[in-house]
Structures are given as structure tokens and as C-alpha cells.
Amino acid sequence: MSTLHERLAELAEDAPVGGALPEDLWDRGRRIARRRRLGTATIAAVACLALALVGVLGWQRGRTSVEPAAPGSAPAMPDQLYQPSGWLGSFGGSPGTLAAVFPARREHLLRSEAGIVGVSATTGRYGFLDLPDVAAGSDEVALSADGRRLAYWITGRTSGSPRTTAGDPVTGFAVFDALTGHTERVPIPTPHGLDPEQLAWSGDGLLLVEHGQWSGGDDDSADLQSTGRVMPPMTWRADRGLQPIEDRAELGVWSQSAGGHDWLMQVDDGDRRWAIDNLRTGEVWQMPQPNLAFEFPGPAISPEGTLLAGTHAGTAYSAGQSRTLSIVDRHGRVVMSVGGRATVALYWPDDKHLIAQRAVSADADDTALESLDVRTRRWTPVVTGPGVHTGNVSTQFAAFDLLAVPTRSAVPPPRPLGQRVVVGTSAVIVLVGGLAIVLWRRRARP
Amino acid sequence: MPGRDTFDAFVIARRGALLRTAYLLTGSHADAEDLVQVALLKAVPQWERIADHPEPYVRRILARESITRHRRRRWREVTAAELPETAIDIDPVDREALRRALLTLAPRQRAVIVLRYYEDLTERETAELLGIGVGTVKSQTRDALARLRLPGVVATG
């Protein structure tokens, strides 16, 4: 009887004796170790370099070439507006006077959310505005003509079951002061949430608020959730708060005229008549409804309330389509019609000039703000850029008062690398680098 | 500083013992010599650190390399499909039969048998040297011994 140890020891006696000792064993071992170290260090260095390149590229693309504004520099409209990136940074407080705002998806590493990008009128810088409780998906924002106040819809708590089919319920609006960074919330009591319709500024800080009330929340039937009541329009001003507008249940369009005239237009009162109403003086001018089908956004009213400008073509708005711009007087008579590229009438700086947005090509993003001299019928480009190009975006996206002063040469906003690209690329570099090191060390085995 | 001299001294002194273990692990003269050479080459960069007590480090490389080599090259192994279904009866006096029987084991089983019954390491020492759990050592030992039916042999330890 023998043990396994003894049997293995016997078998081990058959092992080779090894012969002469290889003389260069020590030197070979050192050389192999050096090769492995050198290869590993090279791969690690290349990976670090690639990571540094990603970092530098991200920093380079994220930085803006805008020079800091000189103290006291006057606000001005840039001569071009650019479609902002969703990876832009935030202004982080008060951006100062805004030249324009854009709804944009604000991107994060694992999610994205609705956001508003502002363009500084003093520096030309682009950045997301920190708007507390901004309602997701609500593109209906309104920038005052002086570029100071931005009105937007907010979310909050409802008194009853909230209606969340379109996100958190809208429960009021807020006014962001771009000079101070202060936000004033104006809640509107609602059982289930508001159906936001329109926010629009007039020239002297008066805000028109139009909304509906949803009839049901998540706990109610689908029918109730999909129906609502149109509420009487209201006005808001910082010094007197929210006030209903009496006897004007069919409001259509809010004037954006310069000079602080609060013109309001009442449409289709049953007798095919419109009323132009100065909320400040109480003056009301009745006029026959023009035999024109003005499209959204509706006609803009001149400062003196004597002219209305709008577009009509009988077809939905689409960039590149030919649409007719018509100007009618207080008697509903067409005083001017201008055909041509797709046009949205926006703003009368005075009674002789109309600012409109016009498509410059078939590309819906390629638009320009142009000024029409109603006396000569000549168009003059003022600002090029994406502007508004769908019927769902407010026409009050720019500080139109700034068009009274010369524009400033625009600087393109940065196009930062997305965090997902940076993280994904870095992960791939680390992975490939690690794999290369493993493969190299295997290859460089003795 | 320890260097070439102490390395050469270690090789001269311990090469035979290492070759015997390597032979049991590989079943081949050429592979045993190659395995020992590789283990010694790998020990060189670490020599400053292990010079005072190099044997455990070199034996660890030896055992682990014998297993990873099999994974890389499947060298000289009988594939699982060709493994005998039943245990192998070994002639108690036939060394060649024992060598062939060892080669029918999976590399890790073979390493466990060699370390436990030739090197006389404990289960814990074997587990640490191979970088596996004690439970794995036990199960690998049990399976290997069941495959190697060794008449007239007592597995002690």
C-alpha cells in the first residue's frame, strides 16, 4: 500500500533535470519587464491624451468668445440670432436685459427638460434662464418689448385632483425680472389645472393673461379631463396685480405696439365687427371685420391704433410658402397688400414701419426679422436667425424696443459637447485603453 | 540590493524541485522546462521584493501559469468530450499510467492534486496559492480523486 504522495514523488523522478542554466535568464526577464512597462505606459499615456483632448474639446466648444460687456454698455439687438444648443450653461441669476428668448430642450446626462434660452442684450451671451417652476412643454412665453420682463406659465398644487396627462398641472404664471433675477409668482386658483392660452405684454408693463380651466383631473373621467372652460381674460401689472377685463369675453389679439398703448382687439362679436379698445383710456373703436381671414398670429396693431397688419393665405403657415401680408385701416379697408415669402407680422415700432418675420428660404429655421416701410413698401433686413416658425410659439420672443437702436454684430453661441458624448467617449477610451493594456501585457508575456 | 547573484543562486538551488512540480503539472519534459523558465522570467521584475523568500511566489506563478496556459492554448489536454465516462484504473507500479491519468484531469484539478498531495500544502494554502476558495479546493480534490481510481493507493492529507 502506497500513498498518493509517494506515487506522485515517484512520477516526479521522471522530471527533466534541466540541463545547462540559461545564462541570460535574468537579462531576458528584465527586458521583458521593461517592454511590458513601456507598452503599458505608452497605452496609458495615449488614453490620457485622448481623455485630455475630449476635455479640451469640451471646454473649447463650451466657452464663449463673447467679451464681457463694458460697464454701462447699452442694450442692443444682435444682428443675428442662432438656434441655441440644449447643452448651454445657465445665466445663474440675473442675465440683464434680454434681446430674445427661445424655448429649448435643456439636456442633462440622463434626462432632458423644457427650458428657455435667453440672449443677453448687453453681451450677446446665450444661456438657459433659471425659471422656477416653469411648466414643461409650454412654449408660450412672452418677453416684454424692453427686454426686462419674461412671463411664463408655472406649475404648482391644485385644489382638487390634478390633471397630469400633459405633465405637472399649470397653476398660474410668473414674471421673471431679467435685471434683478427676481421672479414673482402669480398663482391662479384652479381645481385641476389651467389650460394656458396666451401671455402677452403691452408697452407699459401690462400683461394679458388668457387661460382656460380643465374640468377634470386624474381621478375624473376621460371626458372631464379632455374638456374645459374658457375663462375671461385678465390683465396683470406689478403695481395692481391680476384684474379681470369686464365684458370682453372674445378677446383675440393683444397689441404689441410701441409707446405704451394698451390696444386690445375683440373679434367676432356676432355682427362681424371688431373692437379696438384702449384699456388705459377706455376708448373703444368699432370697425367692420375685414373680408380677410387673418391667421395666427393675428394682426398687429399700430401704436396709434390706426392700422392692423396680418397675413392670410387660407393655408397653414409654412416657411417658404407665399403668403400675403395685408394692412387694413380702422374702417376695415385694405390699404396695402404685399405678397411674397412667408411672413408673420409682429410689431409696429411706429405707424410707418412694421417689423415682420420672413422666411429667407424653404428652411423653416432660416428666417429674418425685416422692417417694412409702409410708405415705400420696401423691406429692410434687421435681424437674421431662427426666430419663431411654428404657430405654437409666442410672437413676443424678442425685445422689439431694441430695434429702435442700431443692432450689434452677433457672436455665435457656443456649441458645447453634450455630457452624454463626453461621458460615452471617455468610457470608450478607458475601455479601449484597458483592453489594449491587457492585450499588450499578454502579448509581452515571457 | 538583491539582484542577479541571488537570483542565479536561487535558480541553481531550486530549479530541480521546480521542474519536478512542473512535470507533474504538465506531464511533459519540454512543457515542464518551459513552464519553469516562464515562472523564473516572471519572477525577475519582482526579485527585489521577493528575494528573501522567493519560493512561494515562483510556485504560485508555476501553478497559475499551468492553468492559464491550458485556457489559452488548450495544450496537450484531452477535450471534455473525450474524457472517460468512468474512473480510470491505474496500475500501482506503472508511472506512465499515472502520468496519463493526471492528464485526463482538468488543469485546475491536476494543480490541486499536485499541490495537496505532492507539495503537501493544506487546503487553505492551496486555495491561497491558486486564488480560489477553500470550498473549491475541496470539491476539485474530491472530483479528481474520484476520477483517478488508484488501487492500493491511500490519499492522505
Side-chain angles (χ1 to χ4, degrees):
Chain A
M1 184 71 69
S2 59
T3 64
L4 181 53
H5 175 82
E6 291 166 345
R7 293 292 308 280
L8 290 169
E10 287 170 13
L11 179 58
E13 293 303 318
D14 291 343
V17 292
L21 186 67
E23 288 186 1
D24 61 344
L25 209 56
W26 174 264
D27 292 331
R28 278 176 59 201
R30 303 277 288 190
R31 276 200 305 275
I32 291 167
R34 272 198 299 274
R35 266 183 66 208
R36 295 183 75 184
R37 278 200 302 270
L38 186 64
T40 303
T42 303
I43 294 169
V46 169
C48 287
L49 193 64
L51 285 173
L53 275 176
V54 171
V56 168
L57 190 63
W59 174 79
Q60 181 72 22
R61 291 191 52 157
R63 69 192 283 266
T64 175
S65 54
V66 174
E67 295 296 327
S73 62
M77 181 71 76
D79 61 6
Q80 185 165 1
L81 295 172
Y82 300 88
Q83 194 70 43
S85 162
W87 295 100
L88 282 174
S90 159
F91 274 111
S94 54
T97 302
L98 293 168
V101 292
F102 300 96
R105 295 297 297 176
R106 190 171 190 173
E107 303 291 345
H108 302 277
L109 183 58
L110 300 175
R111 64 188 173 86
S112 66
E113 61 185 354
I116 304 293
V117 169
V119 184
S120 167
T122 50
T123 65
R125 181 186 163 200
Y126 285 62
F128 276 95
L129 301 171
D130 293 322
L131 304 176
D133 302 328
V134 62
S138 173
D139 291 342
E140 189 61 53
V141 297
L143 181 64
S144 62
D146 61 3
R148 174 169 182 171
R149 298 183 186 86
L150 178 71
Y152 63 97
W153 297 100
I154 59 171
T155 61
R157 295 179 66 86
T158 57
S159 58
S161 166
R163 179 183 182 276
T164 61
T165 51
D168 290 337
V170 176
T171 56
F173 64 91
V175 176
F176 172 72
D177 188 323
L179 294 185
T180 65
H182 174 71
T183 299
E184 181 166 353
R185 290 178 177 78
V186 184
I188 298 174
T190 176
H192 310 294
L194 305 177
D195 180 15
E197 290 286 344
Q198 184 180 11
L199 293 169
W201 290 101
S202 77
D204 63 348
L206 192 72
L207 181 70
L208 172 73
V209 182
E210 281 191 287
H211 69 281
Q213 288 275 7
W214 291 111
S215 301
D218 294 348
D219 297 339
D220 299 305
S221 67
D223 282 349
L224 282 176
Q225 288 188 50
S226 60
T227 57
R229 286 178 296 126
V230 177
M231 303 303 291
M234 294 185 284
T235 58
W236 177 90
R237 187 159 20 211
D239 56 354
R240 68 184 192 202
L242 202 58
Q243 292 186 342
I245 303 173
E246 301 296 339
D247 302 327
R248 295 179 181 86
E250 296 292 337
L251 274 174
V253 175
W254 184 250
S255 161
Q256 299 170 47
S257 60
H261 298 280
D262 306 327
W263 292 101
L264 196 65
M265 189 169 67
Q266 186 172 351
V267 297
D268 195 10
D269 62 358
D271 295 324
R272 293 183 57 80
R273 296 184 69 81
W274 289 355
I276 299 177
D277 185 345
N278 187 317
L279 291 177
R280 196 172 52 180
T281 64
E283 179 193 0
V284 178
W285 180 268
Q286 296 278 336
M287 61 177 281
Q289 182 172 322
N291 191 24
L292 298 170
F294 282 127
E295 294 173 345
F296 181 91
I301 307 170
S302 68
E304 298 302 323
T306 54
L307 297 171
L308 293 83
T311 50
H312 55 95
T315 56
Y317 173 79
S318 170
Q321 278 187 346
S322 176
R323 300 200 331 160
T324 301
L325 171 75
S326 288
I327 297 175
V328 299
D329 64 13
R330 281 193 169 198
H331 305 287
R333 294 180 302 225
V334 177
V335 297
M336 178 190 294
S337 284
V338 183
R341 290 172 275 138
T343 307
V344 178
L346 296 175
Y347 180 74
W348 290 84
D350 53 54
D351 280 352
K352 297 178 180 60
H353 294 89
L354 171 70
I355 299 295
Q357 178 174 278
R358 307 185 78 204
V360 298
S361 72
D363 184 351
D365 289 339
D366 203 2
T367 59
L369 290 182
E370 297 186 17
S371 174
L372 172 68
D373 188 324
V374 296
R375 297 163 300 182
T376 62
R377 298 190 173 207
R378 289 189 60 178
W379 289 98
T380 305
V382 182
V383 178
T384 60
V388 291
H389 50 82
T390 72
N392 295 324
V393 181
S394 167
T395 57
Q396 292 191 336
F397 68 93
F400 292 117
D401 283 353
L402 296 182
L403 296 177
V405 297
T407 56
R408 168 185 292 135
S409 180
V411 177
R415 314 291 301 176
L417 281 182
Q419 290 177 23
R420 293 178 208 124
V421 172
V422 173
V423 171
T425 307
S426 301
V428 168
I429 289 171
V430 169
L431 203 65
V432 169
L435 195 64
I437 287 174
V438 169
L439 290 175
W440 167 253
R441 291 178 74 86
R442 279 188 183 174
R443 186 164 172 265
R445 293 170 82 92
Chain B
M1 181 182 292
R4 178 194 291 265
D5 294 343
T6 54
F7 176 77
D8 287 346
F10 171 78
V11 173
I12 290 167
R14 298 302 300 159
R15 189 172 173 219
L18 294 172
L19 281 168
R20 284 191 288 278
T21 302
Y23 180 65
L24 293 179
L25 290 170
T26 63
S28 154
H29 283 195
D31 292 336
E33 289 188 4
D34 191 49
L35 187 61
V36 169
Q37 186 163 306
V38 166
L40 291 171
L41 285 172
K42 283 191 165 185
V44 170
Q46 310 298 327
W47 196 254
E48 273 187 32
R49 184 169 57 85
I50 65 172
D52 290 343
H53 196 42
E55 183 114 1
Y57 183 82
V58 175
R59 287 194 176 277
R60 190 169 73 202
I61 298 174
L62 206 65
R64 293 189 181 185
E65 184 71 14
S66 74
I67 296 171
T68 54
R69 277 186 165 207
H70 171 81
R71 289 190 189 133
R72 284 203 306 274
R73 305 193 314 191
R74 301 285 177 194
W75 70 303
R76 296 188 188 282
E77 284 299 328
V78 181
T79 63
E82 294 167 327
L83 284 173
E85 291 292 328
T86 57
I88 303 164
D89 290 326
I90 300 174
D91 183 335
V93 294
D94 188 349
R95 290 181 182 178
E96 178 58 18
L98 177 59
R99 189 186 71 85
R100 285 201 306 271
L102 282 173
L103 285 178
T104 65
L105 299 179
R108 194 156 70 177
Q109 288 179 335
R110 196 185 316 143
V112 168
I113 290 295
V114 171
L115 295 173
R116 290 278 287 115
Y117 295 104
Y118 176 67
E119 298 282 354
D120 285 334
L121 300 185
T122 64
E123 287 175 339
R124 178 169 298 281
E125 288 168 339
T126 302
E128 286 175 359
L129 194 139
L130 292 176
I132 58 179
V134 173
T136 306
V137 171
K138 287 179 179 175
S139 63
Q140 295 279 298
T141 305
R142 186 179 59 246
D143 294 347
L145 290 176
R147 186 174 293 280
L148 297 172
R149 184 183 296 165
L150 301 170
V153 172
V154 177
T156 58

